[in-house]
Amino acid sequence: MEQLDHTDITILRILQEDAKKTAKEIAKILNLTPSPIYERIRRLEKQGFIKKYVAILDKKLIDRSITTICQVSMRYHNEAFIEKFEKQIQNLQEVQECYHMAGQVDFILKIHTKSLEEYHDFVKTKLSKIENIGVLNSTFVLKEIKHTSEFYI
């Protein structure tokens, strides 16, 4: 983070907390004028520090209250099978996150569905159709203790 000074870091912290803050509002917090804050934000976007702005939805209000962590182990570990799995998983809307792992499992998926029945249908009609999956191990979240998209910087 050598490219970032204290002001840049503060701007990133503020935007992580509330991406709707305007350059004018951030400038007021930092006791600066809006124009250089606006330019800094644009530079942070251009340099890739800010990838995109999103709205974080309430999963209960949009009826996606079942969170499942699914561990996937592959039968074969050659490059073609792994790339094919990664490509196919991109097309599954139920999968919110996918990580290629080192260790006992090959991939970890975070999946949100309306119900256990919907998750069952997802596994039966979509996930199990992906070639080369050896083992699926699903665990269900009972209570979300902490969920954040903010990085400590």
mmCIF file of all heavy atoms in Angstrom, residues 60-105:
data_model
loop_
_atom_site.group_PDB
_atom_site.id
_atom_site.type_symbol
_atom_site.label_atom_id
_atom_site.label_comp_id
_atom_site.label_asym_id
_atom_site.label_seq_id
_atom_site.Cartn_x
_atom_site.Cartn_y
_atom_site.Cartn_z
ATOM 1 N N LYS A 60 -32.835 -12.033 4.095
ATOM 2 C CA LYS A 60 -34.153 -12.454 4.570
ATOM 3 C C LYS A 60 -35.261 -11.742 3.793
ATOM 4 O O LYS A 60 -36.266 -12.348 3.441
ATOM 5 C CB LYS A 60 -34.290 -12.185 6.064
ATOM 6 C CG LYS A 60 -33.428 -13.104 6.907
ATOM 7 C CD LYS A 60 -33.526 -12.770 8.364
ATOM 8 C CE LYS A 60 -32.540 -13.635 9.156
ATOM 9 N NZ LYS A 60 -32.377 -13.185 10.520
ATOM 10 N N LEU A 61 -35.075 -10.454 3.530
ATOM 11 C CA LEU A 61 -36.100 -9.686 2.818
ATOM 12 C C LEU A 61 -36.228 -10.102 1.358
ATOM 13 O O LEU A 61 -37.298 -9.950 0.768
ATOM 14 C CB LEU A 61 -35.818 -8.190 2.926
ATOM 15 C CG LEU A 61 -35.932 -7.597 4.327
ATOM 16 C CD1 LEU A 61 -35.568 -6.114 4.312
ATOM 17 C CD2 LEU A 61 -37.329 -7.798 4.901
ATOM 18 N N ILE A 62 -35.145 -10.635 0.780
ATOM 19 C CA ILE A 62 -35.225 -11.099 -0.618
ATOM 20 C C ILE A 62 -35.438 -12.611 -0.688
ATOM 21 O O ILE A 62 -35.304 -13.212 -1.746
ATOM 22 C CB ILE A 62 -33.987 -10.686 -1.433
ATOM 23 C CG1 ILE A 62 -32.709 -11.294 -0.850
ATOM 24 C CG2 ILE A 62 -33.899 -9.172 -1.548
ATOM 25 C CD1 ILE A 62 -31.508 -11.218 -1.770
ATOM 26 N N ASP A 63 -35.747 -13.209 0.455
ATOM 27 C CA ASP A 63 -36.084 -14.631 0.551
ATOM 28 C C ASP A 63 -34.942 -15.540 0.089
ATOM 29 O O ASP A 63 -35.139 -16.444 -0.715
ATOM 30 C CB ASP A 63 -37.372 -14.927 -0.232
ATOM 31 C CG ASP A 63 -38.023 -16.223 0.229
ATOM 32 O OD1 ASP A 63 -37.686 -16.722 1.328
ATOM 33 O OD2 ASP A 63 -38.863 -16.750 -0.517
ATOM 34 N N ARG A 64 -33.774 -15.289 0.626
ATOM 35 C CA ARG A 64 -32.602 -16.155 0.407
ATOM 36 C C ARG A 64 -31.952 -16.437 1.763
ATOM 37 O O ARG A 64 -30.759 -16.252 1.951
ATOM 38 C CB ARG A 64 -31.582 -15.491 -0.520
ATOM 39 C CG ARG A 64 -32.034 -15.250 -1.934
ATOM 40 C CD ARG A 64 -32.218 -16.552 -2.699
ATOM 41 N NE ARG A 64 -32.588 -16.341 -4.077
ATOM 42 C CZ ARG A 64 -33.822 -16.060 -4.507
ATOM 43 N NH1 ARG A 64 -34.798 -15.924 -3.659
ATOM 44 N NH2 ARG A 64 -34.080 -15.905 -5.779
ATOM 45 N N SER A 65 -32.749 -16.871 2.716
ATOM 46 C CA SER A 65 -32.293 -16.954 4.102
ATOM 47 C C SER A 65 -31.485 -18.208 4.438
ATOM 48 O O SER A 65 -30.876 -18.278 5.498
ATOM 49 C CB SER A 65 -33.478 -16.827 5.054
ATOM 50 O OG SER A 65 -34.408 -17.845 4.803
ATOM 51 N N ILE A 66 -31.462 -19.199 3.546
ATOM 52 C CA ILE A 66 -30.671 -20.410 3.799
ATOM 53 C C ILE A 66 -29.274 -20.213 3.212
ATOM 54 O O ILE A 66 -29.117 -20.057 1.999
ATOM 55 C CB ILE A 66 -31.330 -21.662 3.185
ATOM 56 C CG1 ILE A 66 -32.735 -21.869 3.741
ATOM 57 C CG2 ILE A 66 -30.447 -22.903 3.399
ATOM 58 C CD1 ILE A 66 -32.805 -22.148 5.216
ATOM 59 N N THR A 67 -28.276 -20.216 4.099
ATOM 60 C CA THR A 67 -26.885 -20.105 3.659
ATOM 61 C C THR A 67 -26.230 -21.463 3.838
ATOM 62 O O THR A 67 -26.270 -22.041 4.924
ATOM 63 C CB THR A 67 -26.120 -19.053 4.479
ATOM 64 O OG1 THR A 67 -26.782 -17.796 4.354
ATOM 65 C CG2 THR A 67 -24.679 -18.917 3.998
ATOM 66 N N THR A 68 -25.636 -21.954 2.767
ATOM 67 C CA THR A 68 -24.974 -23.255 2.784
ATOM 68 C C THR A 68 -23.523 -23.084 2.388
ATOM 69 O O THR A 68 -23.214 -22.370 1.430
ATOM 70 C CB THR A 68 -25.662 -24.218 1.789
ATOM 71 O OG1 THR A 68 -27.056 -24.260 2.072
ATOM 72 C CG2 THR A 68 -25.067 -25.614 1.885
ATOM 73 N N ILE A 69 -22.662 -23.733 3.142
ATOM 74 C CA ILE A 69 -21.253 -23.822 2.776
ATOM 75 C C ILE A 69 -21.064 -25.227 2.227
ATOM 76 O O ILE A 69 -21.302 -26.211 2.923
ATOM 77 C CB ILE A 69 -20.321 -23.578 3.984
ATOM 78 C CG1 ILE A 69 -20.646 -22.241 4.670
ATOM 79 C CG2 ILE A 69 -18.862 -23.678 3.561
ATOM 80 C CD1 ILE A 69 -20.507 -21.008 3.814
ATOM 81 N N CYS A 70 -20.672 -25.315 0.981
ATOM 82 C CA CYS A 70 -20.546 -26.599 0.306
ATOM 83 C C CYS A 70 -19.076 -26.842 -0.025
ATOM 84 O O CYS A 70 -18.445 -26.036 -0.707
ATOM 85 C CB CYS A 70 -21.388 -26.599 -0.965
ATOM 86 S SG CYS A 70 -21.359 -28.154 -1.861
ATOM 87 N N GLN A 71 -18.556 -27.945 0.471
ATOM 88 C CA GLN A 71 -17.178 -28.336 0.173
ATOM 89 C C GLN A 71 -17.213 -29.334 -0.976
ATOM 90 O O GLN A 71 -17.971 -30.313 -0.933
ATOM 91 C CB GLN A 71 -16.524 -28.972 1.398
ATOM 92 C CG GLN A 71 -16.433 -28.021 2.572
ATOM 93 C CD GLN A 71 -15.900 -28.701 3.813
ATOM 94 O OE1 GLN A 71 -16.026 -29.897 3.997
ATOM 95 N NE2 GLN A 71 -15.289 -27.907 4.679
ATOM 96 N N VAL A 72 -16.405 -29.065 -1.989
ATOM 97 C CA VAL A 72 -16.383 -29.893 -3.184
ATOM 98 C C VAL A 72 -14.989 -30.496 -3.347
ATOM 99 O O VAL A 72 -13.987 -29.766 -3.345
ATOM 100 C CB VAL A 72 -16.731 -29.070 -4.449
ATOM 101 C CG1 VAL A 72 -16.654 -29.926 -5.702
ATOM 102 C CG2 VAL A 72 -18.099 -28.415 -4.307
ATOM 103 N N SER A 73 -14.960 -31.812 -3.488
ATOM 104 C CA SER A 73 -13.706 -32.503 -3.801
ATOM 105 C C SER A 73 -13.830 -33.100 -5.199
ATOM 106 O O SER A 73 -14.851 -33.721 -5.533
ATOM 107 C CB SER A 73 -13.430 -33.620 -2.789
ATOM 108 O OG SER A 73 -13.222 -33.070 -1.512
ATOM 109 N N MET A 74 -12.817 -32.905 -5.999
ATOM 110 C CA MET A 74 -12.813 -33.388 -7.369
ATOM 111 C C MET A 74 -12.234 -34.805 -7.422
ATOM 112 O O MET A 74 -11.396 -35.169 -6.605
ATOM 113 C CB MET A 74 -11.975 -32.462 -8.262
ATOM 114 C CG MET A 74 -12.348 -30.976 -8.151
ATOM 115 S SD MET A 74 -14.042 -30.605 -8.588
ATOM 116 C CE MET A 74 -13.933 -30.621 -10.351
ATOM 117 N N ARG A 75 -12.685 -35.586 -8.407
ATOM 118 C CA ARG A 75 -12.112 -36.920 -8.613
ATOM 119 C C ARG A 75 -10.728 -36.821 -9.227
ATOM 120 O O ARG A 75 -9.811 -37.504 -8.803
ATOM 121 C CB ARG A 75 -13.017 -37.753 -9.516
ATOM 122 C CG ARG A 75 -14.166 -38.370 -8.761
ATOM 123 C CD ARG A 75 -14.922 -39.340 -9.631
ATOM 124 N NE ARG A 75 -16.140 -38.643 -10.021
ATOM 125 C CZ ARG A 75 -16.812 -38.816 -11.132
ATOM 126 N NH1 ARG A 75 -16.418 -39.697 -12.014
ATOM 127 N NH2 ARG A 75 -17.897 -38.135 -11.382
ATOM 128 N N TYR A 76 -10.607 -35.973 -10.238
ATOM 129 C CA TYR A 76 -9.336 -35.812 -10.945
ATOM 130 C C TYR A 76 -8.911 -34.360 -10.848
ATOM 131 O O TYR A 76 -9.748 -33.464 -10.878
ATOM 132 C CB TYR A 76 -9.474 -36.237 -12.409
ATOM 133 C CG TYR A 76 -10.066 -37.618 -12.554
ATOM 134 C CD1 TYR A 76 -11.374 -37.785 -13.009
ATOM 135 C CD2 TYR A 76 -9.333 -38.748 -12.208
ATOM 136 C CE1 TYR A 76 -11.936 -39.049 -13.125
ATOM 137 C CE2 TYR A 76 -9.886 -40.017 -12.318
ATOM 138 C CZ TYR A 76 -11.187 -40.159 -12.776
ATOM 139 O OH TYR A 76 -11.731 -41.404 -12.874
ATOM 140 N N HIS A 77 -7.618 -34.141 -10.778
ATOM 141 C CA HIS A 77 -7.106 -32.799 -10.511
ATOM 142 C C HIS A 77 -6.288 -32.213 -11.660
ATOM 143 O O HIS A 77 -5.424 -31.387 -11.442
ATOM 144 C CB HIS A 77 -6.276 -32.813 -9.222
ATOM 145 C CG HIS A 77 -7.103 -33.118 -8.024
ATOM 146 N ND1 HIS A 77 -7.354 -34.403 -7.605
ATOM 147 C CD2 HIS A 77 -7.793 -32.314 -7.189
ATOM 148 C CE1 HIS A 77 -8.124 -34.381 -6.542
ATOM 149 N NE2 HIS A 77 -8.415 -33.125 -6.263
ATOM 150 N N ASN A 78 -6.580 -32.616 -12.863
ATOM 151 C CA ASN A 78 -5.814 -32.024 -13.958
ATOM 152 C C ASN A 78 -6.377 -30.654 -14.324
ATOM 153 O O ASN A 78 -7.507 -30.309 -13.982
ATOM 154 C CB ASN A 78 -5.723 -32.967 -15.169
ATOM 155 C CG ASN A 78 -7.049 -33.190 -15.861
ATOM 156 O OD1 ASN A 78 -7.824 -32.253 -16.040
ATOM 157 N ND2 ASN A 78 -7.323 -34.418 -16.244
ATOM 158 N N GLU A 79 -5.586 -29.894 -15.009
ATOM 159 C CA GLU A 79 -5.904 -28.494 -15.314
ATOM 160 C C GLU A 79 -7.222 -28.339 -16.069
ATOM 161 O O GLU A 79 -8.030 -27.451 -15.771
ATOM 162 C CB GLU A 79 -4.753 -27.883 -16.120
ATOM 163 C CG GLU A 79 -4.896 -26.419 -16.398
ATOM 164 C CD GLU A 79 -3.705 -25.841 -17.138
ATOM 165 O OE1 GLU A 79 -2.709 -26.554 -17.342
ATOM 166 O OE2 GLU A 79 -3.781 -24.656 -17.515
ATOM 167 N N ALA A 80 -7.481 -29.206 -17.038
ATOM 168 C CA ALA A 80 -8.691 -29.089 -17.854
ATOM 169 C C ALA A 80 -9.954 -29.265 -17.006
ATOM 170 O O ALA A 80 -10.920 -28.512 -17.155
ATOM 171 C CB ALA A 80 -8.656 -30.121 -18.986
ATOM 172 N N PHE A 81 -9.964 -30.248 -16.106
ATOM 173 C CA PHE A 81 -11.131 -30.468 -15.259
ATOM 174 C C PHE A 81 -11.355 -29.295 -14.308
ATOM 175 O O PHE A 81 -12.488 -28.878 -14.077
ATOM 176 C CB PHE A 81 -10.989 -31.762 -14.450
ATOM 177 C CG PHE A 81 -11.382 -32.997 -15.211
ATOM 178 C CD1 PHE A 81 -10.467 -34.015 -15.393
ATOM 179 C CD2 PHE A 81 -12.657 -33.147 -15.727
ATOM 180 C CE1 PHE A 81 -10.830 -35.171 -16.090
ATOM 181 C CE2 PHE A 81 -13.034 -34.292 -16.412
ATOM 182 C CZ PHE A 81 -12.107 -35.306 -16.598
ATOM 183 N N ILE A 82 -10.277 -28.775 -13.753
ATOM 184 C CA ILE A 82 -10.403 -27.651 -12.818
ATOM 185 C C ILE A 82 -10.920 -26.408 -13.539
ATOM 186 O O ILE A 82 -11.831 -25.738 -13.060
ATOM 187 C CB ILE A 82 -9.077 -27.395 -12.085
ATOM 188 C CG1 ILE A 82 -8.827 -28.555 -11.109
ATOM 189 C CG2 ILE A 82 -9.088 -26.051 -11.357
ATOM 190 C CD1 ILE A 82 -7.480 -28.543 -10.437
ATOM 191 N N GLU A 83 -10.375 -26.119 -14.702
ATOM 192 C CA GLU A 83 -10.830 -24.955 -15.467
ATOM 193 C C GLU A 83 -12.295 -25.099 -15.879
ATOM 194 O O GLU A 83 -13.057 -24.130 -15.842
ATOM 195 C CB GLU A 83 -9.941 -24.743 -16.689
ATOM 196 C CG GLU A 83 -8.587 -24.176 -16.343
ATOM 197 C CD GLU A 83 -7.696 -23.978 -17.553
ATOM 198 O OE1 GLU A 83 -8.138 -24.239 -18.701
ATOM 199 O OE2 GLU A 83 -6.543 -23.575 -17.346
ATOM 200 N N LYS A 84 -12.680 -26.311 -16.247
ATOM 201 C CA LYS A 84 -14.078 -26.544 -16.640
ATOM 202 C C LYS A 84 -15.008 -26.329 -15.453
ATOM 203 O O LYS A 84 -16.068 -25.701 -15.590
ATOM 204 C CB LYS A 84 -14.221 -27.962 -17.196
ATOM 205 C CG LYS A 84 -15.586 -28.240 -17.785
ATOM 206 C CD LYS A 84 -15.633 -29.607 -18.445
ATOM 207 C CE LYS A 84 -17.000 -29.841 -19.065
ATOM 208 N NZ LYS A 84 -17.083 -31.163 -19.703
ATOM 209 N N PHE A 85 -14.625 -26.829 -14.280
ATOM 210 C CA PHE A 85 -15.437 -26.621 -13.078
ATOM 211 C C PHE A 85 -15.573 -25.128 -12.783
ATOM 212 O O PHE A 85 -16.668 -24.629 -12.538
ATOM 213 C CB PHE A 85 -14.804 -27.336 -11.871
ATOM 214 C CG PHE A 85 -15.535 -27.086 -10.585
ATOM 215 C CD1 PHE A 85 -16.638 -27.845 -10.237
ATOM 216 C CD2 PHE A 85 -15.137 -26.071 -9.722
ATOM 217 C CE1 PHE A 85 -17.334 -27.616 -9.059
ATOM 218 C CE2 PHE A 85 -15.815 -25.828 -8.535
ATOM 219 C CZ PHE A 85 -16.919 -26.596 -8.208
ATOM 220 N N GLU A 86 -14.451 -24.413 -12.810
ATOM 221 C CA GLU A 86 -14.476 -22.976 -12.523
ATOM 222 C C GLU A 86 -15.380 -22.229 -13.492
ATOM 223 O O GLU A 86 -16.118 -21.329 -13.098
ATOM 224 C CB GLU A 86 -13.054 -22.410 -12.556
ATOM 225 C CG GLU A 86 -12.195 -22.882 -11.398
ATOM 226 C CD GLU A 86 -10.743 -22.439 -11.490
ATOM 227 O OE1 GLU A 86 -10.353 -21.797 -12.494
ATOM 228 O OE2 GLU A 86 -9.991 -22.750 -10.549
ATOM 229 N N LYS A 87 -15.353 -22.611 -14.749
ATOM 230 C CA LYS A 87 -16.197 -21.960 -15.761
ATOM 231 C C LYS A 87 -17.677 -22.270 -15.511
ATOM 232 O O LYS A 87 -18.525 -21.382 -15.583
ATOM 233 C CB LYS A 87 -15.779 -22.438 -17.152
ATOM 234 C CG LYS A 87 -16.370 -21.672 -18.279
ATOM 235 C CD LYS A 87 -15.806 -22.147 -19.595
ATOM 236 C CE LYS A 87 -15.634 -20.967 -20.513
ATOM 237 N NZ LYS A 87 -15.027 -21.330 -21.785
ATOM 238 N N GLN A 88 -17.988 -23.531 -15.197
ATOM 239 C CA GLN A 88 -19.380 -23.915 -14.986
ATOM 240 C C GLN A 88 -19.956 -23.281 -13.723
ATOM 241 O O GLN A 88 -21.124 -22.897 -13.697
ATOM 242 C CB GLN A 88 -19.495 -25.441 -14.920
ATOM 243 C CG GLN A 88 -19.278 -26.095 -16.270
ATOM 244 C CD GLN A 88 -19.276 -27.607 -16.167
ATOM 245 O OE1 GLN A 88 -18.478 -28.186 -15.449
ATOM 246 N NE2 GLN A 88 -20.184 -28.236 -16.896
ATOM 247 N N ILE A 89 -19.150 -23.155 -12.693
ATOM 248 C CA ILE A 89 -19.646 -22.610 -11.425
ATOM 249 C C ILE A 89 -20.004 -21.123 -11.580
ATOM 250 O O ILE A 89 -20.881 -20.618 -10.889
ATOM 251 C CB ILE A 89 -18.616 -22.859 -10.287
ATOM 252 C CG1 ILE A 89 -19.330 -23.151 -8.957
ATOM 253 C CG2 ILE A 89 -17.673 -21.704 -10.105
ATOM 254 C CD1 ILE A 89 -19.965 -24.477 -8.887
ATOM 255 N N GLN A 90 -19.343 -20.440 -12.518
ATOM 256 C CA GLN A 90 -19.645 -19.024 -12.785
ATOM 257 C C GLN A 90 -21.090 -18.831 -13.234
ATOM 258 O O GLN A 90 -21.675 -17.773 -13.023
ATOM 259 C CB GLN A 90 -18.709 -18.467 -13.868
ATOM 260 C CG GLN A 90 -17.268 -18.356 -13.466
ATOM 261 C CD GLN A 90 -17.017 -17.234 -12.485
ATOM 262 O OE1 GLN A 90 -17.788 -16.277 -12.397
ATOM 263 N NE2 GLN A 90 -15.946 -17.342 -11.732
ATOM 264 N N ASN A 91 -21.665 -19.848 -13.864
ATOM 265 C CA ASN A 91 -23.018 -19.737 -14.411
ATOM 266 C C ASN A 91 -24.121 -20.114 -13.428
ATOM 267 O O ASN A 91 -25.293 -20.044 -13.780
ATOM 268 C CB ASN A 91 -23.136 -20.606 -15.670
ATOM 269 C CG ASN A 91 -22.222 -20.111 -16.767
ATOM 270 O OD1 ASN A 91 -22.064 -18.916 -16.967
ATOM 271 N ND2 ASN A 91 -21.594 -21.034 -17.465
ATOM 272 N N LEU A 92 -23.762 -20.536 -12.224
ATOM 273 C CA LEU A 92 -24.758 -20.931 -11.243
ATOM 274 C C LEU A 92 -25.091 -19.744 -10.350
ATOM 275 O O LEU A 92 -24.302 -19.346 -9.498
ATOM 276 C CB LEU A 92 -24.259 -22.125 -10.410
ATOM 277 C CG LEU A 92 -23.919 -23.381 -11.204
ATOM 278 C CD1 LEU A 92 -23.396 -24.465 -10.277
ATOM 279 C CD2 LEU A 92 -25.113 -23.864 -12.001
ATOM 280 N N GLN A 93 -26.270 -19.170 -10.537
ATOM 281 C CA GLN A 93 -26.666 -17.955 -9.830
ATOM 282 C C GLN A 93 -26.766 -18.149 -8.327
ATOM 283 O O GLN A 93 -26.600 -17.196 -7.569
ATOM 284 C CB GLN A 93 -27.997 -17.443 -10.368
ATOM 285 C CG GLN A 93 -27.927 -16.980 -11.794
ATOM 286 C CD GLN A 93 -29.281 -16.576 -12.319
ATOM 287 O OE1 GLN A 93 -30.326 -17.071 -11.880
ATOM 288 N NE2 GLN A 93 -29.288 -15.668 -13.282
ATOM 289 N N GLU A 94 -27.017 -19.357 -7.883
ATOM 290 C CA GLU A 94 -27.152 -19.618 -6.452
ATOM 291 C C GLU A 94 -25.818 -19.493 -5.718
ATOM 292 O O GLU A 94 -25.774 -19.243 -4.528
ATOM 293 C CB GLU A 94 -27.718 -21.032 -6.212
ATOM 294 C CG GLU A 94 -29.120 -21.222 -6.712
ATOM 295 C CD GLU A 94 -29.207 -21.619 -8.183
ATOM 296 O OE1 GLU A 94 -28.182 -21.579 -8.898
ATOM 297 O OE2 GLU A 94 -30.307 -21.963 -8.616
ATOM 298 N N VAL A 95 -24.718 -19.681 -6.454
ATOM 299 C CA VAL A 95 -23.381 -19.626 -5.852
ATOM 300 C C VAL A 95 -22.948 -18.175 -5.747
ATOM 301 O O VAL A 95 -22.763 -17.490 -6.754
ATOM 302 C CB VAL A 95 -22.354 -20.441 -6.669
ATOM 303 C CG1 VAL A 95 -20.962 -20.320 -6.066
ATOM 304 C CG2 VAL A 95 -22.776 -21.903 -6.743
ATOM 305 N N GLN A 96 -22.779 -17.708 -4.518
ATOM 306 C CA GLN A 96 -22.373 -16.325 -4.300
ATOM 307 C C GLN A 96 -20.857 -16.203 -4.265
ATOM 308 O O GLN A 96 -20.299 -15.204 -4.711
ATOM 309 C CB GLN A 96 -22.973 -15.799 -3.003
ATOM 310 C CG GLN A 96 -22.734 -14.318 -2.814
ATOM 311 C CD GLN A 96 -23.410 -13.780 -1.564
ATOM 312 O OE1 GLN A 96 -23.718 -14.519 -0.639
ATOM 313 N NE2 GLN A 96 -23.630 -12.492 -1.538
ATOM 314 N N GLU A 97 -20.195 -17.203 -3.695
ATOM 315 C CA GLU A 97 -18.734 -17.185 -3.612
ATOM 316 C C GLU A 97 -18.204 -18.577 -3.922
ATOM 317 O O GLU A 97 -18.843 -19.576 -3.601
ATOM 318 C CB GLU A 97 -18.271 -16.776 -2.211
ATOM 319 C CG GLU A 97 -18.699 -15.376 -1.813
ATOM 320 C CD GLU A 97 -18.332 -15.041 -0.374
ATOM 321 O OE1 GLU A 97 -17.233 -15.428 0.075
ATOM 322 O OE2 GLU A 97 -19.154 -14.403 0.295
ATOM 323 N N CYS A 98 -17.017 -18.631 -4.536
ATOM 324 C CA CYS A 98 -16.347 -19.891 -4.819
ATOM 325 C C CYS A 98 -14.853 -19.677 -4.641
ATOM 326 O O CYS A 98 -14.299 -18.712 -5.173
ATOM 327 C CB CYS A 98 -16.650 -20.353 -6.241
ATOM 328 S SG CYS A 98 -15.767 -21.861 -6.708
ATOM 329 N N TYR A 99 -14.231 -20.575 -3.879
ATOM 330 C CA TYR A 99 -12.802 -20.487 -3.616
ATOM 331 C C TYR A 99 -12.131 -21.811 -3.976
ATOM 332 O O TYR A 99 -12.610 -22.868 -3.577
ATOM 333 C CB TYR A 99 -12.550 -20.188 -2.126
ATOM 334 C CG TYR A 99 -13.176 -18.901 -1.664
ATOM 335 C CD1 TYR A 99 -14.414 -18.904 -1.022
ATOM 336 C CD2 TYR A 99 -12.538 -17.681 -1.876
ATOM 337 C CE1 TYR A 99 -14.999 -17.721 -0.596
ATOM 338 C CE2 TYR A 99 -13.125 -16.497 -1.455
ATOM 339 C CZ TYR A 99 -14.352 -16.525 -0.827
ATOM 340 O OH TYR A 99 -14.927 -15.347 -0.413
ATOM 341 N N HIS A 100 -11.033 -21.732 -4.722
ATOM 342 C CA HIS A 100 -10.204 -22.908 -4.997
ATOM 343 C C HIS A 100 -9.245 -23.029 -3.818
ATOM 344 O O HIS A 100 -8.516 -22.092 -3.519
ATOM 345 C CB HIS A 100 -9.444 -22.716 -6.307
ATOM 346 C CG HIS A 100 -8.765 -23.946 -6.785
ATOM 347 N ND1 HIS A 100 -8.084 -23.984 -7.962
ATOM 348 C CD2 HIS A 100 -8.657 -25.200 -6.257
ATOM 349 C CE1 HIS A 100 -7.582 -25.196 -8.146
ATOM 350 N NE2 HIS A 100 -7.917 -25.946 -7.117
ATOM 351 N N MET A 101 -9.262 -24.185 -3.170
ATOM 352 C CA MET A 101 -8.573 -24.351 -1.892
ATOM 353 C C MET A 101 -7.352 -25.260 -2.008
ATOM 354 O O MET A 101 -7.267 -26.082 -2.906
ATOM 355 C CB MET A 101 -9.535 -24.971 -0.862
ATOM 356 C CG MET A 101 -10.838 -24.230 -0.677
ATOM 357 S SD MET A 101 -10.647 -22.539 -0.114
ATOM 358 C CE MET A 101 -10.074 -22.828 1.551
ATOM 359 N N ALA A 102 -6.457 -25.103 -1.057
ATOM 360 C CA ALA A 102 -5.395 -26.070 -0.818
ATOM 361 C C ALA A 102 -5.788 -26.801 0.456
ATOM 362 O O ALA A 102 -6.299 -26.196 1.391
ATOM 363 C CB ALA A 102 -4.056 -25.366 -0.631
ATOM 364 N N GLY A 103 -5.601 -28.095 0.497
ATOM 365 C CA GLY A 103 -5.982 -28.847 1.686
ATOM 366 C C GLY A 103 -6.859 -30.023 1.326
ATOM 367 O O GLY A 103 -6.758 -30.568 0.228
ATOM 368 N N GLN A 104 -7.746 -30.400 2.223
ATOM 369 C CA GLN A 104 -8.543 -31.613 2.046
ATOM 370 C C GLN A 104 -9.665 -31.481 1.028
ATOM 371 O O GLN A 104 -10.129 -32.476 0.488
ATOM 372 C CB GLN A 104 -9.103 -32.070 3.389
ATOM 373 C CG GLN A 104 -8.016 -32.550 4.334
ATOM 374 C CD GLN A 104 -8.592 -33.267 5.535
ATOM 375 O OE1 GLN A 104 -9.779 -33.182 5.813
ATOM 376 N NE2 GLN A 104 -7.742 -33.976 6.242
ATOM 377 N N VAL A 105 -10.158 -30.279 0.785
ATOM 378 C CA VAL A 105 -11.196 -30.079 -0.235
ATOM 379 C C VAL A 105 -10.633 -29.186 -1.328
ATOM 380 O O VAL A 105 -9.695 -28.422 -1.111
ATOM 381 C CB VAL A 105 -12.495 -29.468 0.351
ATOM 382 C CG1 VAL A 105 -13.115 -30.401 1.368
ATOM 383 C CG2 VAL A 105 -12.257 -28.102 0.937
#
